[in-house]
Amino acid sequence: MREVLRDAYRYVNDPLSWTGPGGILDLLGDHLWMTLVAVLLGAAVALPLGLWLGHTGRGGTLVVGVANLTRAIPTLALLFVLTAALGLGQLPTILAVAIFAVPPILSNAYTGVREVPDDARDAGIGMGMSPRRLLTSVELPLALPLIGAGLRTAVVQVVATVSLASLVGGGGLGLVISNGIATQRFGQALAGAALVVAVCLGIEGLLALVQRALTPAPMRTAARPVRGHRVAASDA
């Protein structure tokens, strides 16, 4: 085990591992590109649908339940099915992980809108807001924390799952892992896994900051810890 750790350390600290075609930086670019496209595809489907279902309250539980069933589909099996239909490359990976990005985005968008307080809706209706204006000006801003949490979950899941792209010729950081295993350089495989974890943690932290910045100030202060304990929004 110590030898594997030493090999992993040497691999990460070798400048040749980072530069040139097939280097870590090159593979990281592919990894982040596939992640971005997959999350955008998933959000393009799930976000409008979740907001609309939450706003109308019609059939939301059924649709969200069906979407969550996709989590039971083996990712690798779906990837190979799409590869058989579309060929090798990044496209089957992007489509496969985009499908798995839908449930957290859809569920959180729906739940976020449904949990908007009734008095906030009543105030908007009393001001003569149209249903569309009520959604965009009242419900959506109040639902942003949950929507942001759903996007964060989806992005982290996609970053981790995109590592499977190396199995179908799609590149990404998973190639470091698969090449290490294929050549029995287990230190390299461990280094690749550590790189994927580091990217997940880095993106999670960055998105947490973005989510906080986009959350309305009154909603942030309502949940601020006070004297060693957390005050819920309902207690404010």
Side-chain angles (χ1 to χ4, degrees):
M1 184 61 185
R2 290 182 180 178
E3 184 64 27
V4 172
L5 292 174
R6 282 196 294 267
D7 289 344
Y9 180 80
R10 283 196 293 265
Y11 179 83
V12 172
N13 285 276
D14 185 354
L16 296 178
S17 300
W18 291 85
T19 57
I24 292 173
L25 293 179
D26 189 31
L27 297 176
L28 176 61
D30 289 340
H31 203 103
L32 294 178
W33 165 251
M34 288 186 284
T35 297
L36 176 63
V37 176
V39 172
L40 288 178
L41 286 175
V45 173
L47 194 54
L49 181 59
L51 293 175
W52 181 77
L53 291 173
H55 176 71
T56 61
R58 299 173 183 173
T61 303
L62 176 61
V63 173
V64 171
V66 171
N68 283 329
L69 287 177
T70 61
R71 298 182 179 183
I73 302 175
T75 308
L76 198 56
L78 178 60
L79 179 60
F80 285 151
V81 168
L82 291 174
T83 301
L86 302 173
L88 297 172
Q90 295 183 354
L91 181 59
T93 302
I94 291 173
L95 293 179
V97 296
I99 292 173
F100 291 106
V102 168
I105 300 175
L106 177 60
S107 299
N108 281 43
Y110 170 76
T111 303
V113 175
R114 292 309 301 164
E115 290 187 354
V116 170
D118 290 336
D119 55 355
R121 287 196 183 90
D122 293 339
I125 294 173
M127 294 172 62
M129 291 185 178
S130 64
R132 181 178 179 181
R133 178 74 182 280
L134 182 67
L135 174 61
T136 57
S137 298
V138 177
E139 294 174 331
L140 180 57
L142 294 175
L144 275 179
L146 271 179
I147 293 173
L151 286 169
R152 284 169 57 189
T153 301
V155 171
V156 173
Q157 287 179 353
V158 168
V159 170
T161 311
V162 162
S163 302
L164 296 175
S166 62
L167 301 177
V168 294
L173 291 175
L175 196 59
V176 178
I177 303 173
S178 59
N179 285 346
I181 294 175
T183 59
Q184 295 187 354
R185 297 175 181 174
F186 299 114
Q188 175 180 329
L190 178 60
L195 288 170
V196 173
V197 172
V199 172
C200 288
L201 293 176
I203 291 179
E204 166 72 12
L206 178 61
L207 292 179
L209 294 176
V210 173
Q211 179 184 348
R212 177 175 173 79
L214 294 177
T215 301
M219 298 185 68
R220 295 201 302 263
T221 56
R224 182 179 299 168
V226 178
R227 294 183 181 178
H229 68 281
R230 187 179 180 85
V231 179
S234 59
D235 296 332

